[in-house]
């Protein structure tokens, strides 16, 4: 059971890191006219979703 929890937590963390990398590349290296507020909200929501999901998985017995 603990192995399954750690694998799922690792997958969620890895996907979150990939999304954050994509957001940072879009923000730094592209010339899209997307407002900065969108990036800040997306960044914060991604981090809060990752932390909430992993902590919910780790709390389950």
């Amino acid at each position: 059971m603990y192995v399954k929890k750690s694998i799922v937590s690792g997958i969620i963390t890895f996907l979150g890191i990939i999304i954050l990398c994509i957001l940072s590349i879009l923000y730094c290296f592209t010339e899209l006219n997307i407002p900065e507020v969108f990036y800040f909200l997306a960044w914060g929501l991604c981090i809060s979703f990752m932390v909430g999901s992993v902590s919910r998985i780790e709390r389950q017995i």
Side-chain angles (χ1 to χ4, degrees):
M1 188 68 170
Y2 293 111
V3 174
K4 189 187 299 184
K5 282 184 186 182
S6 66
I7 290 173
V8 172
S9 296
I11 290 171
I12 290 172
T13 305
F14 180 73
L15 290 175
I17 290 170
I18 295 295
I19 291 170
L20 292 175
C21 287
I22 291 170
L23 283 172
S24 64
I25 289 170
L26 287 174
Y27 181 73
C28 295
F29 299 113
T30 61
E31 295 181 9
L32 300 175
N33 291 328
I34 299 174
E36 291 181 358
V37 175
F38 168 75
Y39 290 111
F40 297 141
L41 287 175
W43 188 272
L45 289 173
C46 184
I47 290 174
S48 65
F49 176 75
M50 282 182 359
V51 170
S53 298
V54 170
S55 65
R56 190 176 329 133
I57 289 170
E58 295 297 328
R59 279 186 296 188
Q60 292 178 352
I61 296 174

